[in-house]
Amino acid sequence: MLRHIALALLLCACGTAASSAQISRTTPPKKISAATVPSLILGTCDQFGTSVADLGDLDGAGPAVRALAVGAPWTGEQIPREDERRGAVWILFLNNEGGLTRPAVKIADGMNGVPPGTLQRFDEFGTSVADLGDLDGPGPAVRALAVGAPNQVFNGPGAVWILFLNADGTVKSHQKFSDTQGNFLGTLSNGDNLGASMAAIGDRDQDGT
């Protein structure tokens, strides 16, 4: 019989292991779903968990030790309707045992800082997510999150949203990048799926901006 075991390593700055923990069938992971978290109100086809990003200690001095952004790109409107697929991102505040310290925060059209009408049918907002750190520096947001909406305007060229987050996981402000917004200089065509995947690559020109 095969046994599947993984090791979680806590690393020193030099890359050596300071400690480790075995993860196997005898140490099951925490499951986060609508069945285990009452504040997660999910539709049957929301595709919660399609994308995940670590947001660090988003609430600072608050009770959570870590926050996660989790995409659910087939989410409908406030009443789950799978044919809408506007999409959503959930912010989860975790304790050191993997449980939640407060109700999950849903970022979707018309909710928690996103004005109604911002997202359109079939955008699939939340297909990808990437943590951008404290993008505005001394500005009012505590962290920025990039969110892909690759099917924007139904089989359109796609879009990427930059969400500037408050410490409670709500959106303070946002910026959209597409073929018509955000000073995006690339050439896009319908079906290009901008935002299908993303990665933060840091300050490539090292100019601090």
Side-chain angles (χ1 to χ4, degrees):
M1 182 179 69
L2 291 177
R3 292 185 65 209
H4 300 281
I5 295 174
L7 289 177
L9 302 179
L10 300 179
L11 301 180
C12 299
C14 60
T16 59
S19 63
S20 64
Q22 178 176 298
I23 302 171
S24 68
R25 290 182 179 178
T26 59
T27 56
K30 288 277 188 178
K31 181 179 181 180
I32 297 175
S33 69
T36 61
V37 179
S39 58
L40 273 176
I41 302 173
L42 301 175
T44 56
C45 295
D46 282 2
Q47 295 194 359
F48 174 81
T50 295
S51 57
V52 179
D54 177 9
L55 297 178
D57 188 8
L58 184 63
D59 67 352
V65 297
R66 211 84 185 169
L68 291 180
V70 182
W74 277 28
T75 298
E77 294 181 293
Q78 293 186 34
I79 299 174
R81 293 169 54 187
E82 288 77 26
D83 63 329
E84 289 286 339
R85 291 186 357 217
R86 296 173 190 256
V89 172
W90 291 85
I91 307 299
L92 310 178
F93 292 89
L94 305 179
N95 59 32
N96 57 11
E97 295 179 348
L100 268 65
T101 63
R102 65 172 72 182
V105 177
K106 183 180 181 180
I107 298 173
D109 194 62
M111 299 183 70
N112 288 311
V114 179
T118 300
L119 301 176
Q120 306 302 314
R121 293 182 65 198
F122 304 109
D123 276 1
E124 298 182 8
F125 174 84
T127 296
S128 60
V129 289
D131 174 43
L132 300 180
D134 188 8
L135 189 62
D136 67 353
V142 298
R143 208 160 189 104
L145 177 69
V147 181
N151 207 35
Q152 191 245 345
V153 196
F154 190 52
N155 202 36
V160 171
W161 294 85
I162 309 300
L163 307 181
F164 293 91
L165 301 179
N166 297 307
D168 63 359
T170 58
V171 177
K172 189 164 196 68
S173 62
H174 59 78
Q175 171 67 58
K176 180 182 179 181
F177 290 93
S178 69
D179 59 337
T180 60
Q181 292 180 254
N183 199 31
F184 183 81
L185 302 179
T187 300
L188 297 173
S189 302
N190 287 342
D192 279 356
N193 297 127
L194 177 71
S197 61
M198 288 186 296
I201 59 175
D203 185 5
R204 293 293 296 170
D205 59 6
Q206 298 182 345
D207 67 351
T209 61

